[in-house]
Amino acid sequence: MFERSRKAASNMKRLIAVAAVPALSVLALSLTPHPRDVDAYALYVVNNDSYVHVDELDGEVFLTDGSAELVSRRSGSDLMLTAGQPVTVTYQGEPLTSVTRSETVSQLLERLEIQPSPLEMVSVSFLDEALEISVNSEFVFYEHITDTLAHETVYQYNSNKPAWEESVIQEGSDGAYTEVYEVVYQDGEETARQLIDAVTKAPVPTIIEKGTMENFANNGDAVAAINKSTDGSGTITLDNGETLTFSSARTMRGTAYTTGGSVGTRTASGTTVHVGVVAVDKSVIPLGTKVYVVSNDGQYDYGFAVAEDTGVRGNSIDLYMDTNSECIQFGVRECTVYILD
């Protein structure tokens, strides 16, 4: 359905009228008196340029898109028809059938000896295989007035992602509130208007996920460089330019584990195990500590993780992996564990 704003409706209110005829596809309305002051000017329907020559119009004609709204106002005193189209003209309740010639609508009516009064209106409907014309002093139209309902942006916060990272997980879209009015035209003037329907299309919010964890990156985020100071602290620079700081680095015995058998899916911290969770001796590394782990043989970069699980003793760190084969491939390796601030 073609929609327009209430502001546009205010500016064009007197121009809009769409006929309540289901078979019609595109409508145009003009109530300007005919230059001869004996014929009616009125309603024209256009859905295919092959049927009319719009550049030949030089009077007042309103064109609509056929779904229920005005889309343009064009000049035109009459519409030129294509020859050979079956046509049915209804006048004073009586249908007349004919075949169009290379003629205007006015010429067609004159050929059929139909003389509309100055207050009558003429509707012209171009169908797939035929043409329908109706001459009447009353038509019912529907006017649609639409207000846009702006969508909002909603943030969802994720404590497992770094504070600098955010991503759109749902694109939003505006909604609309539409009022439909039934409008009656009689003798070329609007005589009645009634609100008959109100439709609300709810807006869809934009949802953005935003990290809240400070001085941290996601497991697997690419690292460009690691710089270590003489006191053991240093910085980790990511490929995206973000810089993280660590307070110390220690060498630890690294192993790997996964779920299955006696190992459940819940960590000692109450979270669900996933890549990026490591098990530690909490007397060596407190639970909740953020770390960055690489193997010292240069073969494996586990990445950023959080100490959320237990089950090891002493100077060891157990890295969670998704499959048993990954754990076997990792085996036991000496690792450097950077303790992030």
Side-chain angles (χ1 to χ4, degrees):
M1 176 178 292
F2 181 87
E3 298 175 347
R4 58 191 172 84
S5 67
R6 187 174 294 276
K7 180 179 179 181
S10 176
N11 294 334
M12 302 178 68
K13 185 175 181 181
R14 68 184 184 87
L15 305 181
I16 293 180
V18 178
V21 182
L24 304 190
S25 48
V26 185
L27 307 176
L29 171 65
S30 173
L31 303 176
T32 305
H34 195 280
R36 292 183 295 172
D37 211 24
V38 292
D39 294 337
Y41 252 178
L43 191 62
Y44 293 129
V45 183
V46 182
N47 74 343
N48 190 318
D49 284 343
S50 66
Y51 292 135
V52 295
H53 304 288
V54 177
D55 56 351
E56 297 178 6
L57 310 182
D58 55 16
E60 296 260 81
V61 175
F62 298 90
L63 302 180
T64 76
D65 69 352
S67 64
E69 288 294 339
L70 178 79
V71 293
S72 67
R73 178 179 178 179
R74 301 292 297 269
S75 295
S77 60
D78 215 335
L79 296 178
M80 180 63 70
L81 304 175
T82 299
Q85 294 293 318
V87 59
T88 300
V89 180
T90 302
Y91 179 55
Q92 296 181 346
E94 296 295 327
L96 298 174
T97 60
S98 183
V99 176
T100 61
R101 301 172 183 174
S102 294
E103 58 191 349
T104 66
V105 172
S106 295
Q107 290 170 338
L108 169 65
L109 295 179
E110 186 175 356
R111 177 165 62 86
L112 298 178
E113 299 182 348
I114 295 174
Q115 186 70 48
S117 74
L119 295 179
E120 286 182 313
M121 299 176 290
V122 181
S123 72
V124 182
S125 172
F126 291 98
L127 307 178
D128 291 338
E129 301 294 337
L131 183 66
E132 289 186 359
I133 295 178
S134 177
V135 181
N136 207 323
S137 61
E138 177 178 307
F139 285 111
V140 179
F141 303 88
Y142 291 98
E143 179 180 324
H144 292 63
I145 299 178
T146 298
D147 278 332
T148 297
L149 303 178
H151 72 284
E152 61 179 348
T153 299
V154 177
Y155 285 90
Q156 293 182 352
Y157 297 97
N158 189 334
S159 61
N160 292 319
K161 290 189 174 182
W164 48 263
E165 181 175 310
E166 63 178 50
S167 59
V168 177
I169 59 178
Q170 176 177 283
E171 293 287 354
S173 60
D174 289 340
Y177 173 74
T178 301
E179 292 182 340
V180 183
Y181 290 86
E182 182 181 78
V183 184
V184 179
Y185 277 83
Q186 292 177 314
D187 301 330
E189 295 183 356
E190 179 181 323
T191 59
R193 173 181 296 269
Q194 179 181 3
L195 176 67
I196 62 170
D197 197 12
V199 180
T200 300
K201 175 187 174 184
V204 176
T206 294
I207 300 177
I208 298 177
E209 184 178 61
K210 183 176 179 60
T212 60
M213 187 176 289
E214 299 292 339
N215 197 50
F216 191 67
N218 290 317
N219 179 277
D221 282 353
V223 171
I226 299 177
N227 298 301
K228 189 175 180 181
S229 304
T230 55
D231 63 357
S233 65
T235 60
I236 299 175
T237 303
L238 305 180
D239 275 350
N240 63 12
E242 294 291 333
T243 299
L244 311 178
T245 61
F246 58 88
S247 59
S248 62
R250 62 177 66 190
T251 301
M252 303 184 73
R253 176 179 180 268
T255 56
Y257 78 108
T258 190
T259 56
S262 62
V263 180
T265 60
R266 306 295 290 180
T267 69
S269 301
T271 60
T272 301
V273 290
H274 59 275
V275 174
V277 167
V278 295
V280 296
D281 183 335
K282 60 184 180 181
S283 66
V284 178
I285 296 180
L287 292 179
T289 300
K290 297 169 288 185
V291 298
Y292 180 76
V293 184
V294 296
S295 65
N296 290 351
D297 59 10
Q299 299 297 311
Y300 202 91
D301 187 349
Y302 186 74
F304 295 94
V306 180
E308 295 182 0
D309 212 353
T310 58
V312 298
R313 292 184 179 276
N315 194 46
S316 295
I317 189 167
D318 209 7
L319 316 176
Y320 179 81
M321 298 184 181
D322 284 329
T323 65
N324 189 58
S325 61
E326 290 177 292
C327 296
I328 294 173
Q329 183 178 4
F330 183 82
V332 179
R333 301 171 190 251
E334 185 180 81
C335 296
T336 295
V337 179
Y338 296 90
I339 309 299
L340 301 180
D341 293 330

